Amino acid sequence: MKVGVEVAGIDCLTLRLFDVIDEANVPWLLAAAQRLRATFGAALVELVPSYTTLMLQYNLAQLDDAQARALCHEALTGLEPATADSGRELALPVWYHPSVGPDLEPLARQRGLSVDEVIALHSGRAYSVFALGFAPGFGFMGLVDPRLASPRLATPRQRVAAGSVGIAERQTAIYPAVSPGGWNLVGRSPARLFDPSLEGFSLLRPGDRVRFVPVQRDEFVRLGGDETPMEAQA
C-alpha cells in the first residue's frame, strides 16, 4: 500500500491511505492506527482517524519531521487490515416518529417509499463509525442504503435536539447534544453519546459497528429519551 504523507502543521502529519470513502477502508485504518501507536509510543501526542486518512501529531521535543516520517514508514510497511472483531458491535435504540424525526415523512415521499420502508432500510444494516467530529461524541457513520441518500437541508435548523438521528447523503449520525444542524432527522435515540465518565468521553469510536434498533415511544421514554416534539423545517 502506498501511503501519502502531507504536512498538516509544525508537529502534525496527515497520512493518506485512500482516496475514496468506503467501508472497506476501516480495517486498514484501524490496523494503521494500532501500528502507529505502538511505533511512536510516548512520542505520539494524538492520532485522529478519518474516512481515508489519519492525522498524527507528535512531540517536537522528541522527534523532528524526518524522524516522524521514518517512524511512519516503519509502522506502515507490510500493513495488513485489522480482523473483523477489532471494532465493537453496538445496538442503539431509536424511536422513529415524525414528532421527533420531522424529515421522516418528507424523506419517504421524496424517495417514493413508505415510512415503514424508510425505517426498515435505515435500521436494516450495520454502520461503520468512520470518524468523530463536529461535536464531542458525534460519530459519522455509513453507508446508508442509496435509496435513503439525501442532501443536507438547504437551511440548517438552529436547534436540533440531543439524540436526533439524521441522514446526510449516505452518512447517518446521532446528535450527542443540542446544536444547530442540517441533517434530515428521522428519529431520536436515548443513547448518551458524550459522557465524561467514558474512556475518550465518547460512546462511539472509529471502527465500531452500529445497528439502530426501532423501539416504540414507551420504551424510548423508559430508556430516558426526551419525547419533546420538533417542528418540521419551514
Side-chain angles (χ1 to χ4, degrees):
M1 171 181 290
K2 184 177 180 180
V3 178
V5 181
E6 306 161 13
V7 175
I10 190 173
D11 59 351
C12 291
L13 297 172
T14 296
L15 309 178
R16 183 170 300 281
L17 277 68
F18 302 98
D19 294 318
V20 178
I21 296 173
D22 194 303
E23 289 176 280
N25 298 352
V26 175
W28 292 93
L29 291 163
L30 288 176
Q34 184 177 11
R35 294 272 291 268
L36 288 163
R37 288 191 181 97
T39 302
F40 274 76
L44 181 68
V45 176
E46 189 171 11
L47 189 63
V48 182
S50 188
Y51 303 94
T52 59
T53 64
L54 297 118
M55 189 207 76
L56 184 147
Q57 182 181 13
Y58 57 91
N59 189 333
L60 275 175
Q62 298 182 46
L63 301 172
D64 60 23
D65 177 77
Q67 291 170 321
R69 288 171 181 265
L71 287 178
C72 290
H73 178 74
E74 176 186 336
L76 300 181
T77 297
L79 185 69
E80 295 290 339
T83 58
D85 59 357
S86 296
R88 300 171 303 162
E89 297 279 344
L90 302 174
L92 303 183
V94 176
W95 179 35
Y96 294 93
H97 193 273
S99 67
V100 292
D103 301 311
L104 179 60
E105 291 178 331
L107 177 63
R109 288 195 297 271
Q110 292 164 11
R111 294 293 174 264
L113 301 167
S114 69
V115 167
D116 286 344
E117 286 173 327
V118 171
I119 295 171
L121 288 172
H122 188 254
S123 62
R125 61 171 61 188
Y127 299 103
S128 296
V129 179
F130 289 115
L132 301 179
F134 171 65
F138 189 103
F140 292 88
M141 295 177 269
L143 297 165
V144 302
D145 189 289
R147 287 169 285 182
L148 299 181
S150 301
R152 289 172 172 80
L153 301 178
T155 303
R157 293 183 172 90
Q158 295 184 5
R159 186 183 187 281
V160 174
S164 294
V165 179
I167 295 171
E169 301 299 344
R170 293 196 64 195
Q171 298 180 96
T172 188
I174 303 175
Y175 285 80
V178 175
S179 70
W183 292 39
N184 301 274
L185 306 182
V186 297
R188 194 176 295 172
S189 175
R192 189 172 183 181
L193 279 293
F194 175 72
D195 187 341
S197 68
L198 296 173
E199 180 183 352
F201 306 141
S202 175
L203 175 64
L204 303 178
R205 305 172 195 164
D208 285 349
R209 300 280 289 173
V210 174
R211 282 191 177 275
F212 296 119
V213 180
V215 297
Q216 297 301 313
R217 172 189 167 277
D218 289 350
E219 178 67 3
F220 170 76
V221 173
R222 186 189 71 78
L223 293 171
D226 177 6
E227 62 179 329
T228 304
M230 282 193 62
E231 295 182 1
Q233 183 78 325

